[in-house]
C-alpha cells in the first residue's frame, strides 16, 4: 500500500510514495520514543499516513510564531 504525506495542520495531501514503504519511512524519520504515534498513523484499511507540514503552514508559522502554542490554529 502507498504511504501518504499530509499536513498535520491543514490536512492537505503533500505527496504519496506509490509503494509499500512504511518501514523505510520509519527509518528515514528520526523520532523520539512515543513520537512516532503522533506523526505516523495507520487506518483500519492498513493505509499509512505520515503527518508533516506543508509549505503554506510552515510559512504561516514562520510569520506568526505564537501559533506554535496552539494545538489547532486553523479553523
Amino acid at each position: 500500500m502507498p504511504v501518504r504525506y499530509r499536513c498535520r495542520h491543514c490536512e492537505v495531501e503533500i505527496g504519496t510514495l506509490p509503494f509499500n514503504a512504511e518501514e523505510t519511512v520509519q527509518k528515514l524519520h528520526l523520532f523520539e520514543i512515543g513520537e512516532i504515534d503522533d506523526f505516523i498513523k495507520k487506518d483500519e484499511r492498513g493505509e499509512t499516513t505520515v503527518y508533516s507540514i506543508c509549505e503554506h503552514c510552515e510559512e504561516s508559522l514562520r510569520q506568526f510564531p505564537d501559533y506554535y502554542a496552539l494545538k489547532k490554529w486553523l479553523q
Side-chain angles (χ1 to χ4, degrees), residues 6-47:
R6 296 186 78 79
C7 179
R8 66 179 182 253
H9 299 289
C10 68
E11 296 288 325
V12 71
E13 188 166 312
I14 299 169
T16 302
L17 296 176
F19 49 88
N20 188 0
E22 182 180 355
E23 187 176 315
T24 304
V25 168
Q26 290 179 4
K27 290 178 182 176
L28 289 175
H29 300 284
L30 299 175
F31 294 105
E32 296 293 325
I33 295 174
E35 277 186 335
I36 199 162
D37 295 332
D38 294 334
F39 294 98
I40 299 178
K41 305 280 187 205
K42 192 171 223 176
D43 67 12
E44 60 277 352
R45 294 181 296 174
E47 292 183 3

